[in-house]
Amino acid sequence: MASKDADPSLGYLTRKDTEVKLPRPTRVKNKTPAPIQITAEQILREARERQEAEIRPPKQKITDPTELADYRLRKRKEYEDLIRRVRWNTSVWIKYAQWEESQKDFNRARSVWERALEVDYRNHTLWLKYAEVEMKNKFINHARNVWDRAVTLLPRVDQLWYKYIHMEEMLGNVAGARQIFERWMSWMPDQQGWLSYIKFELRYNEVERARAIYERFVQCHPKVGAWIRFAKFEMKNGEIVRARNVYERAVEKLADEEDAEQLFVAFAEFEERCKETERARCIYKFALDHIPKGRAEDLYRKFVAFEKQYGDKDGIEDAIVGKRRFQYEDEVRKNPLNYDAWFDYIRLEESVGNKGRIREVYERAIANVPPAEEKRYWQRYIYLWINYALYEELDAGDTERTRDVYRECLKLIPHEKFSFAKIWLLAAQFEIRQLNLKGARQILGNAIGKAPKDKIFKKYIEIELQLGNIDRCRKLYEKYLEWAPENCYAWSKYAELERSLSETDRARAIFELAITQPALDMPELLWKAYIDFEISEGEYERTRELYERLLDRTKHLKVWISYAKFEASAMEETDGDKEVAEDKEVAEDGVREHEAKKGCVQRARRIFERAINYYRTTAPELKEERAMLLEEWLNMESGFGELGDISVVQSKLPKKLKKRKQITSEDGGVSGYEEYIDYVFPEENQATNLKILEAAYKWKKQKLSTDDE
């Protein structure tokens, strides 16, 4: 009775019964190497020795004609049955035909070959085997017949032609072989076929025939390699004139081909071997002018080697320049926007000095306009135009071309997005050098209208100032300040111009207008220039007013120090003026001088006291600035001599304390400590002492109350 776990698909066996039980792997207890080791070679040899002998069919000896006929019938039946099954299998047909051949039944063998060719006549292997059988058994006419049919049906299979020709040549039938070659050449085979025909003729010293075949060969295959072979053939036969003629014809026909470089190199080397160095040099130069630079690398190398061997110093330099020219051409072809490569290329051409070439390279270089209208892409490119213009002006001496270069460059730049002040200025300076002042003004006026820049304004004003056109300078400064009202440099220079013209009121009005501007790029320089202007004019009251107005705007440390220094030095200048203006008694002068010095010291102290008071009450956190101010005051007091009072400042000097503070990291934790200098001023120290006394008093009071209890 079948088990309930039995599976019908498994022949009513259980899963457990069908599992493959592998032997349990034996555990190796002793893993030490055996005393006698055995090699892999010994294992294989033993396995070979223990193999059983191969079972081979017994050799059959046929001793009777009947038995032989029976054997042949059986074998033929086997082959015929096999052919019926796999008619398309070529190897079966070949074996059948070769077996018939081994039986010396050549008619039957031919019959099999013919039947096989009916199945697949395009299989050239069948034709080859068939013909070999006929040749091996010396049936020459049969073999010719097979070869003839083969090359007629398969004219593009070169092997059939080679075998056919080889057979005829071995038989000494040279005329027949030539006829076969002619039949083959009518099909225009590849180069190897033509070369085989030529070698065949040369084997029989038929040079004229070989030459005629070469002529047909270069017409059939008009390639550089074919012409070079033809020329070498003529050279080998000592026909130098004919060889040169072949090269010349080849150059006429193939000068524009891709592999023309190879032809020119071969032609030049031929002339070199003929000791015609001038001809070779002309060929090299002609080739370098006609072949694109990208395909002439080998040509340049050969030319340089040729010049080193046969040329003079100029020739060698010319060849080296040519080689470098090729390298630059290759670079700019790969990346036309590589402006550094263009600069190097132009420098090379300028060193040679060929104006036409230099201009051509410049024109090609400036034609590569940057793809995007962003200034960073144009910064190198614009120097191509600058160098071009300078070359035309300085080296070529062509002013009209220079003017055209500047004009085209300014037309090309997108001024509404960005501009280059240097181009405008160079164009204007060029016109000034040509004494064309009107043209220069027109260029600079266009520059201000299209793309105003600081450099342009400064240079235009400088030019007009040198020419003495003050009204134009004023107009330019007005335009400048309309364009950039926040530019402190422009305000200062405008006021300086007016002051140089002794227009003090105009200069003062300009300064006043400047400091009332809502936004300035460097206001401290403007205020300093205004203050220096008033001091130089001797207007000390106006200077003080200016300092007070400046302090209303900013309480910067430098302003306080500058104000105090001004008050300290105002006395000396006043005194100097009095010495020039008056000539009185020495005693009176000494008294006045002492009184003036005293007044200056007192005014300077008042400024310092105001500053200290400001830092103590309004900005107590600026301890370092306050300490620096006190140091400056101390230095000034010591500089006053007997009028100075150092003790006034020393009582206010702070103590320097080194302290540490925590450094907090990004996650909020403490990553370490750093030292810093802290300043403790006298009033802070007193406040600290008062706090300690107050705390001590509270502690004592608390202690007394506990004792009473």
Side-chain angles (χ1 to χ4, degrees):
M1 188 174 176
S3 171
K4 64 179 180 179
D5 295 330
D7 189 348
S9 64
L10 299 174
Y12 293 97
L13 294 173
T14 61
R15 295 276 177 189
K16 193 173 182 181
D17 294 335
T18 57
E19 285 178 1
V20 179
K21 292 179 182 178
L22 297 172
R24 182 181 293 174
T26 54
R27 288 181 64 191
V28 180
K29 291 180 181 177
N30 185 6
K31 295 185 180 179
T32 55
I36 300 170
Q37 296 291 313
I38 187 166
T39 62
E41 187 184 350
Q42 285 174 300
I43 293 167
L44 291 171
R45 192 167 58 246
E46 283 180 14
R48 180 72 180 164
E49 286 170 359
R50 291 178 186 179
Q51 270 186 352
E52 293 180 2
E54 188 180 346
I55 300 168
R56 291 179 182 175
K59 285 187 179 179
Q60 190 178 6
K61 265 191 175 181
I62 298 170
T63 55
D64 192 286
T66 311
E67 194 175 352
L68 177 60
D70 191 34
Y71 162 71
R72 283 176 176 172
L73 181 64
R74 189 172 67 251
K75 286 295 282 183
R76 283 181 185 129
K77 189 174 184 303
E78 284 176 12
Y79 277 119
E80 290 293 342
D81 289 343
L82 194 58
I83 283 166
R84 271 196 296 277
R85 285 201 302 275
V86 284
R87 189 164 176 268
W88 58 86
N89 194 335
T90 311
S91 61
V92 174
W93 288 104
I94 292 170
K95 284 177 184 176
Y96 189 8
Q98 286 174 345
W99 180 80
E100 290 290 2
E101 182 202 350
S102 69
Q103 298 301 311
K104 304 298 179 185
D105 195 342
F106 296 110
N107 288 329
R108 279 183 178 277
R110 285 190 193 105
S111 174
V112 173
W113 284 117
E114 293 295 338
R115 285 167 65 198
L117 289 171
E118 282 177 10
V119 173
D120 186 10
Y121 75 90
R122 287 191 180 87
N123 190 340
H124 67 277
T125 310
L126 283 175
W127 290 104
L128 289 170
K129 297 277 186 186
Y130 188 7
E132 280 174 12
V133 167
E134 296 290 8
M135 287 193 298
K136 189 166 65 176
N137 292 292
K138 299 183 181 178
F139 297 114
I140 303 302
N141 285 328
H142 279 288
R144 279 193 182 120
N145 182 26
V146 172
W147 286 126
D148 197 71
R149 286 162 62 204
V151 296
T152 305
L153 290 168
L154 301 172
R156 293 296 176 196
V157 180
D158 294 348
Q159 196 176 2
L160 298 174
W161 292 102
Y162 284 128
K163 291 278 187 181
Y164 191 8
I165 292 161
H166 179 65
M167 183 191 81
E168 293 294 355
E169 199 174 352
M170 292 298 288
L171 293 169
N173 186 9
V174 177
R178 188 175 288 122
Q179 193 176 359
I180 295 161
F181 264 122
E182 286 296 333
R183 278 178 67 193
W184 188 14
M185 295 307 114
S186 66
W187 286 97
M188 293 186 180
D190 61 2
Q191 291 194 15
Q192 200 55 47
W194 288 95
L195 294 174
S196 300
Y197 191 9
I198 291 161
K199 285 177 185 174
F200 165 77
E201 294 294 359
L202 291 174
R203 279 200 294 275
Y204 298 102
N205 295 320
E206 296 285 351
V207 178
E208 285 301 322
R209 282 181 179 275
R211 186 173 288 124
I213 295 163
Y214 261 120
E215 289 289 349
R216 290 162 62 197
F217 173 36
V218 294
Q219 295 301 321
C220 180
H221 294 282
K223 301 282 178 68
V224 169
W227 285 98
I228 291 172
R229 282 179 185 277
F230 189 8
K232 284 182 177 176
F233 160 75
E234 295 291 5
M235 184 71 180
K236 192 175 179 182
N237 289 305
E239 299 284 350
I240 292 171
V241 177
R242 283 179 183 272
R244 186 174 289 125
N245 183 36
V246 169
Y247 274 122
E248 287 169 0
R249 285 163 59 200
V251 167
E252 283 176 15
K253 291 188 177 183
L254 306 175
D256 298 327
E257 293 291 318
E258 280 192 13
D259 49 356
E261 178 195 11
Q262 191 182 348
L263 175 64
F264 284 114
V265 168
F267 193 5
E269 286 177 348
F270 160 75
E271 294 293 359
E272 198 178 330
R273 282 195 295 274
C274 296
K275 309 297 181 188
E276 295 281 356
T277 53
E278 281 305 313
R279 280 177 177 270
R281 185 175 285 111
C282 289
I283 290 162
Y284 275 124
K285 288 183 176 178
F286 176 82
L288 291 172
D289 289 340
H290 284 77
I291 294 176
K293 302 294 185 289
R295 300 206 301 262
E297 188 173 355
D298 188 45
L299 192 65
Y300 271 113
R301 193 169 59 252
K302 292 283 175 67
F303 183 38
V304 171
F306 170 80
E307 286 293 350
K308 284 179 180 176
Q309 188 173 356
Y310 298 105
D312 53 4
K313 185 182 175 184
D314 293 338
I316 293 166
E317 285 180 0
D318 188 38
I320 291 166
V321 165
K323 188 175 181 182
R324 285 174 60 199
R325 188 180 286 134
F326 162 72
Q327 291 169 353
Y328 290 135
E329 282 286 348
D330 189 44
E331 281 183 38
V332 298
R333 190 183 71 254
K334 286 177 184 172
N335 183 9
L337 299 177
N338 181 2
Y339 299 121
D340 289 329
W342 283 112
F343 285 125
D344 294 339
Y345 193 4
I346 289 162
R347 257 196 304 275
L348 172 70
E349 292 298 351
E350 285 179 350
S351 68
V352 175
N354 186 336
K355 282 187 184 180
R357 258 193 183 283
I358 294 166
R359 281 175 177 152
E360 181 201 342
V361 177
Y362 266 122
E363 290 293 339
R364 285 171 59 202
I366 61 177
N368 296 298
V369 182
E373 290 185 350
E374 292 182 33
K375 192 166 184 177
R376 60 198 174 104
Y377 295 121
W378 288 64
Q379 281 172 336
R380 291 292 288 159
Y381 171 70
I382 208 68
Y383 278 99
L384 288 170
W385 286 96
I386 292 170
N387 290 355
Y388 190 11
L390 292 174
Y391 166 76
E392 289 293 354
E393 184 188 356
L394 302 175
D395 296 347
D398 193 334
T399 55
E400 282 306 313
R401 280 185 75 93
T402 309
R403 193 171 282 117
D404 290 341
V405 170
Y406 279 124
R407 192 183 299 120
E408 289 301 318
C409 179
L410 290 170
K411 198 185 292 181
L412 183 68
I413 297 167
H415 299 292
E416 64 280 357
K417 293 188 178 177
F418 59 85
S419 187
F420 292 94
K422 61 175 79 66
I423 286 287
W424 293 104
L425 295 175
L426 285 168
Q429 285 165 348
F430 163 73
E431 294 296 350
I432 290 168
R433 285 195 293 275
Q434 305 307 314
L435 306 178
N436 183 7
L437 198 58
K438 186 181 176 183
R441 281 182 177 142
Q442 191 177 357
I443 289 167
L444 290 170
N446 286 338
I448 290 169
K450 286 183 179 179
K453 282 179 173 283
D454 284 330
K455 274 187 188 176
I456 295 168
F457 277 112
K458 288 174 188 175
K459 196 68 183 176
Y460 196 1
I461 290 164
E462 184 187 328
I463 290 166
E464 294 295 354
L465 198 57
Q466 285 172 351
L467 295 169
N469 292 322
I470 303 303
D471 288 335
R472 279 183 181 272
C473 290
R474 283 177 177 149
K475 283 179 185 174
L476 285 171
Y477 270 121
E478 285 168 12
K479 289 277 186 189
Y480 193 179
L481 292 168
E482 277 177 27
W483 175 66
E486 73 285 348
N487 193 328
C488 292
Y489 172 85
W491 288 107
S492 302
K493 285 291 178 183
Y494 191 8
E496 192 180 313
L497 170 70
E498 295 295 355
R499 186 190 164 201
S500 66
L501 299 168
S502 302
E503 294 281 357
T504 311
D505 293 335
R506 287 179 72 98
R508 189 173 288 120
I510 289 163
F511 274 124
E512 283 294 334
L513 193 60
I515 60 175
T516 56
Q517 294 299 315
L520 293 167
D521 54 1
M522 288 187 291
E524 65 279 2
L525 294 182
L526 186 64
W527 280 96
K528 186 178 183 304
Y530 192 5
I531 289 164
D532 290 345
F533 164 73
E534 293 294 4
I535 291 170
S536 64
E537 292 295 323
E539 297 285 350
Y540 298 120
E541 286 304 318
R542 285 180 181 274
T543 308
R544 288 188 185 96
E545 284 175 19
L546 275 177
Y547 270 118
E548 292 298 335
R549 285 164 67 189
L550 182 55
L551 284 171
D552 289 340
R553 294 192 177 204
T554 177
K555 298 287 196 299
H556 197 274
L557 172 67
K558 287 184 178 179
V559 178
W560 290 111
I561 293 171
S562 176
Y563 192 4
K565 283 183 176 178
F566 158 71
E567 290 293 4
S569 63
M571 161 267 299
E572 293 172 11
E573 296 187 17
T574 308
D575 181 57
D577 292 341
K578 284 181 180 179
E579 280 180 3
V580 174
E582 299 175 5
D583 188 14
K584 293 187 177 182
E585 294 179 358
V586 177
E588 287 179 7
D589 283 348
V591 172
R592 277 181 188 164
E593 184 182 348
H594 185 73
E595 289 298 323
K597 279 185 180 179
K598 202 169 181 182
C600 288
V601 170
Q602 286 172 357
R603 283 196 296 274
R605 278 182 189 147
R606 279 200 295 274
I607 300 299
F608 275 120
E609 283 168 0
R610 276 176 64 193
I612 294 297
N613 190 41
Y614 163 74
Y615 280 116
R616 186 174 61 246
T617 57
T618 312
E621 70 279 358
L622 301 175
K623 291 185 176 183
E624 193 171 352
E625 283 79 353
R626 186 177 167 190
M628 288 167 69
L629 188 69
L630 286 165
E631 283 179 18
E632 195 67 40
W633 189 4
L634 184 64
N635 293 336
M636 197 173 282
E637 289 289 351
S638 60
F640 286 147
E642 60 183 17
L643 294 174
D645 187 0
I646 297 171
S647 60
V648 175
V649 186
Q650 281 179 338
S651 62
K652 297 178 181 181
L653 287 173
K655 287 183 181 178
K656 286 185 181 179
L657 297 176
K658 266 190 182 179
K659 291 188 178 181
R660 292 201 310 165
K661 64 178 178 182
Q662 289 182 352
I663 302 171
T664 53
S665 58
E666 291 179 1
D667 56 355
V670 179
S671 60
Y673 293 88
E674 66 172 353
E675 288 188 349
Y676 70 98
I677 302 293
D678 192 18
Y679 297 93
V680 179
F681 291 92
E683 66 269 15
E684 290 178 356
N685 203 9
Q686 287 174 7
T688 309
N689 292 338
L690 284 171
K691 284 179 183 177
I692 292 168
L693 286 169
E694 190 179 344
Y697 177 71
K698 279 183 182 179
W699 174 79
K700 188 175 180 182
K701 191 175 179 182
Q702 190 179 357
K703 191 177 180 186
L704 287 169
S705 62
T706 52
D707 289 344
D708 292 342
E709 288 173 1

